[in-house]
Amino acid sequence: MAEKQSFFKENWSSIFKPVIVLLSICIIIPLALALTNAVTKGPIEKQEETQRKASMQELFPDCTFEDKGNYTIAESDGNAAGYIFNTSSDKGYGGEVKIMTAILPDGNIKAVKILSVDNETPGLGQNAAKESFYGQFAGKATEKLAITKDGGEIVPVTGASITSRAVTEAVNKAIEIYNTEVKEEG
């Protein structure tokens, strides 16, 4: 018994104290992160929903909106003024790219709104949020699109073909939903 007490006394500072400190850190830090996530999750979701609604109003001013699950109908005087699709692609250079695509009842793209390219390279991929890039989608028919490097007509952002492909992929997801869910039902 005296040997065990002696062992703990001799090794307290060199072994047991650091282990207890590290164990405490390993418990406290994840708890603090979980608490921070719990506190900020609601406000973040509310902010994203506010941004989404403002973007829809920007695409279809003076319209009311009806959520249909995979898309939203923009209505004016009881008629469909267009359809809005929130899509994303996780194939951007920095990760996920989020966009909103507005398609008119005649099947042409009205506009594309970039919601998030925040993780893309500043000065390169983040330039996808400039109208000179995303404006190319307006007026296109709802057929699969591609950037020029892949045989399409969308000119990619200089030095950011990965991001440009990701945005185009997200637009193509919206086109696919339009063609399978809206066009076939209409």
Side-chain angles (χ1 to χ4, degrees):
M1 183 73 165
E3 289 178 19
K4 287 182 183 179
Q5 286 179 344
S6 172
F7 174 78
F8 283 111
K9 235 181 203 180
E10 290 173 10
N11 294 304
W12 173 251
S13 293
S14 62
I15 296 176
F16 296 111
K17 189 175 179 182
V19 167
I20 291 172
V21 169
L22 287 174
L23 185 61
S24 299
I25 290 171
C26 289
I27 293 171
I28 293 170
I29 299 296
L31 288 175
L33 290 172
L35 178 63
T36 301
N37 184 50
V39 170
T40 60
K41 186 176 182 180
I44 289 171
E45 288 174 352
K46 186 176 179 181
Q47 178 63 30
E48 286 176 349
E49 181 63 19
T50 301
Q51 178 190 9
R52 188 179 76 79
K53 286 179 179 178
S55 295
M56 290 190 319
Q57 278 301 154
E58 190 178 314
L59 292 169
F60 290 102
D62 304 320
C63 284
T64 57
F65 301 98
E66 181 183 352
D67 185 19
K68 292 291 191 177
N70 287 335
Y71 64 96
T72 301
I73 299 175
E75 296 177 334
S76 179
D77 298 324
N79 297 316
Y83 307 92
I84 299 170
F85 304 86
N86 291 299
T87 55
S88 64
S89 172
D90 61 356
K91 295 180 181 174
Y93 189 76
E96 187 176 39
V97 170
K98 297 179 185 179
I99 67 159
M100 183 178 282
T101 305
I103 299 178
L104 296 169
D106 68 4
N108 289 317
I109 296 173
K110 178 180 183 185
V112 169
K113 179 130 178 84
I114 305 295
L115 300 178
S116 174
V117 288
D118 300 339
N119 293 327
E120 301 304 298
T121 306
L124 292 174
Q126 287 184 1
N127 288 338
K130 291 185 177 180
E131 202 276 332
S132 59
F133 172 69
Y134 68 78
Q136 298 178 77
F137 294 96
K140 300 282 189 238
T142 49
E143 299 169 3
K144 189 169 181 170
L145 301 170
I147 64 172
T148 55
K149 286 184 173 185
D150 299 333
E153 55 186 63
I154 302 298
V155 178
V157 174
T158 302
S161 58
I162 293 172
T163 303
S164 300
R165 276 189 190 100
V167 171
T168 304
E169 178 183 299
V171 172
N172 283 331
K173 286 180 182 180
I175 290 170
E176 184 178 328
I177 296 168
Y178 173 80
N179 287 331
T180 58
E181 295 186 28
V182 177
K183 195 174 177 182
E184 288 182 4
E185 289 179 10

